[in-house]
Amino acid sequence: MPNEEELEQEIQEKENPRKSFQRKLHKVEEEKEKAKADAEHWKNEYFRAYADTQNLRKQLEKDHMSAMKYRAEGFIDELLPVLDSFYAVLKNEPTDPNLKNYLIGFQYIYRNLVAALENEGVTEIEPKVGDKFSPDTMQAVDTKENEGEENVVLDVQFKGYKLHDRLIRPANVTVSVKHKEIKEEKTDA
């Protein structure tokens, strides 16, 4: 059963069909504008979601490339004591001829190991005695007083290593410091 308002509207439509048509047309226009606004809203939401997806894809690719580039970092970190042992052994020249033959074999193994690491992007940081101390690639583990220039490498305990552009371990060095004169204060007794 129709209510009073609906009955009144029906009566008005019968009496004035032009007004009724205009009212319906106006209603359809409102729905059309609402549909356009909804379509624009969802179009913007789609483009926003698409852009977010593309940004996420690019970030994941970047992370993957970084992970692949530095995948060997943990292994190289574990290998550093072995390289340090080789470096320490090869630093000293043996006097016994039998040991010299072993030294040649150790040098060969060491060169092959270093070449394999270089193929993975590892570079050695080997400062020379007399080089200026660089805190970016070196770590001063000891200091010695010296009459010469300050902050100069006096000895290299261990080489440093970089994987591509990332420092794995700085070179451990002894650095010179200026000779300090100790001034004794006289005390009144």
Side-chain angles (χ1 to χ4, degrees):
M1 185 163 202
N3 62 23
E4 282 183 36
E5 193 176 298
E6 290 174 352
L7 286 174
E8 191 175 314
Q9 192 175 2
E10 245 181 72
I11 292 170
Q12 284 180 0
E13 286 176 9
K14 287 180 182 175
E15 289 175 0
N16 195 350
R18 186 174 182 183
K19 277 188 178 180
S20 169
F21 178 74
Q22 285 178 343
R23 205 177 305 124
K24 288 179 182 177
L25 183 62
H26 181 68
K27 193 175 187 180
V28 168
E29 288 290 326
E30 284 178 354
E31 288 175 1
K32 178 181 157 188
E33 290 301 317
K34 185 178 183 291
K36 278 185 181 179
D38 283 349
E40 189 65 29
H41 168 76
W42 289 113
K43 180 179 165 185
N44 289 339
E45 287 295 317
Y46 167 77
F47 285 129
R48 203 172 289 124
Y50 182 78
D52 288 345
T53 303
Q54 291 302 313
N55 290 339
L56 179 62
R57 182 186 59 77
K58 287 176 187 174
Q59 184 62 41
L60 288 173
E61 285 176 359
K62 183 180 171 187
D63 291 347
H64 177 72
M65 293 303 290
S66 179
M68 293 303 293
K69 185 176 181 180
Y70 299 110
R71 72 187 182 282
E73 187 173 3
F75 173 70
I76 293 166
D77 201 31
E78 296 283 327
L79 197 58
L80 291 182
V82 175
L83 293 172
D84 292 339
S85 298
F86 269 111
Y87 179 70
V89 167
L90 297 176
K91 229 176 164 180
N92 302 318
E93 188 68 32
T95 54
D96 184 5
N98 290 332
L99 289 178
K100 283 186 180 184
N101 290 334
Y102 283 111
L103 182 64
I104 292 170
F106 283 137
Q107 288 171 337
Y108 176 75
I109 294 168
Y110 179 72
R111 281 194 305 271
N112 285 338
L113 187 57
V114 169
L117 290 173
E118 285 174 353
N119 288 338
E120 284 295 318
V122 176
T123 55
E124 290 181 327
I125 302 168
E126 185 177 8
K128 306 283 185 258
V129 172
D131 286 352
K132 195 80 172 145
F133 175 74
S134 170
D136 296 332
T137 58
M138 298 178 206
Q139 179 178 353
V141 292
D142 195 13
T143 58
K144 287 187 181 174
E145 289 184 359
N146 193 1
E147 292 295 324
E149 193 177 344
E150 193 172 38
N151 288 331
V152 173
V153 175
L154 297 176
D155 185 32
V156 179
Q157 281 85 16
F158 298 112
K159 293 179 184 181
Y161 295 92
K162 286 176 84 172
L163 178 59
H164 301 288
D165 57 345
R166 187 180 288 176
L167 184 68
I168 295 176
R169 183 184 76 189
N172 293 336
V173 297
T174 301
V175 180
S176 66
V177 292
K178 289 247 183 206
H179 180 70
K180 295 180 183 176
E181 294 181 21
I182 301 173
K183 295 181 181 180
E184 293 182 22
E185 294 182 20
K186 294 183 181 180
T187 57
D188 295 331

